[in-house]
Amino acid sequence: DDDSEELKNKNVFSKLMAKLLWLSTQSRPDIKIHTSLLCTKLERPSERDFKNALKILQYLHGTRNIGLMFSKGSAQLTASIDSSFGMHRNSESHSGVVIKMGNNLLSTISKKQKLVSNSSAESELYALDTGINDILFLREILNELGFKQDTTIIEQDNIATIKIANTPAPTQRTKHIKRRNMRIKQHI
């Protein structure tokens, strides 16, 4: 299969990915997950990876007149936090965070976790920690701008993670994640 053959000119791919990554963090959160995943291939990109990057460019061209609109309404911060357990080649998981103020998108994060998790709950806790870092940063800025933030709604779909985050003391099965868990408990 020619698509899986290693790309000969890696420099072109690297430059393209740098530009797409900048776009995804500055103004186009809709390409963030795809760009982030392609960036994991920077060391050994294939022809297929390059074609996928070109598809992102085609998508950007076709959606260049579409934008994000900010609307009046609630100043309540809401964060949706999730992870994909063990999705990368080396069994690392991937974190995803979307933070909104009312109906307005404020921040997105899509990144590979640096540690290998032992379970989906642990992977979700790492994602929760990443989300809390961004929430604290945004709350500080919003407070300075006059949008006082006392609480933030966090949407989390992993029942085990919710239980771990709300349990006052670590259990025998969760003591290895105690340090991160305790930091999360300070902020929920």
Side-chain angles (χ1 to χ4, degrees):
D1 185 45
D2 291 340
D3 278 356
S4 61
E5 190 175 305
E6 193 168 329
L7 188 64
K8 293 189 185 3
N9 192 345
K10 295 178 188 177
N11 195 27
V12 172
F13 183 76
S14 293
K15 286 180 180 180
L16 175 57
M17 292 317 302
K19 291 174 182 178
L20 288 174
L21 192 58
W22 183 86
L23 264 176
S24 74
T25 58
Q26 299 302 312
S27 63
R28 293 300 300 256
D30 51 334
I31 64 167
K32 193 171 242 182
I33 183 69
H34 302 290
T35 303
S36 178
L37 290 173
L38 280 174
C39 281
T40 64
K41 312 287 182 84
L42 283 173
E43 273 186 40
R44 292 186 359 202
S46 67
E47 292 288 336
R48 180 182 296 136
D49 298 328
F50 187 67
K51 286 179 183 178
N52 286 335
L54 292 178
K55 285 180 184 178
I56 294 174
L57 285 178
Q58 288 173 332
Y59 168 78
L60 288 171
H61 180 73
T63 58
R64 67 187 177 279
N65 294 323
I66 298 172
L68 296 175
M69 300 293 290
F70 281 86
S71 59
K72 290 182 179 181
S74 171
Q76 173 68 53
L77 275 185
T78 305
S80 300
I81 301 172
D82 201 8
S83 75
S84 293
F85 175 60
M87 74 173 288
H88 293 284
R89 285 184 193 158
N90 56 358
S91 297
E92 290 171 325
S93 300
H94 202 92
S95 295
V97 179
V98 173
I99 302 174
K100 293 169 35 174
M101 186 169 89
N103 291 324
N104 303 305
L105 179 66
L106 287 186
S107 175
T108 62
I109 299 172
S110 173
K111 69 180 195 177
K112 182 166 57 168
Q113 295 177 359
K114 294 178 181 171
L115 300 170
V116 175
S117 302
N118 293 321
S119 67
S120 61
E122 186 177 356
S123 173
E124 295 277 353
L125 278 172
Y126 292 140
L128 187 58
D129 186 62
T130 299
I132 285 174
N133 285 339
D134 209 34
I135 290 166
L136 294 174
F137 173 74
L138 289 171
R139 284 173 66 164
E140 197 171 304
I141 291 172
L142 290 170
N143 284 337
E144 287 180 23
L145 293 172
F147 296 98
K148 182 136 177 64
Q149 299 294 316
D150 294 319
T151 60
T152 301
I153 297 168
I154 298 176
E155 298 170 342
Q156 171 55 247
D157 63 353
N158 188 292
I159 294 169
T161 301
I162 295 167
K163 285 182 181 178
I164 292 168
N166 288 310
T167 302
T171 66
Q172 190 66 20
R173 297 178 80 183
T174 62
K175 65 183 178 185
H176 66 288
I177 50 178
K178 178 182 175 190
R179 179 179 239 156
R180 185 172 304 270
N181 188 22
M182 296 314 286
R183 185 182 173 289
I184 290 169
K185 287 177 193 220
Q186 290 174 345
H187 298 290
I188 62 168

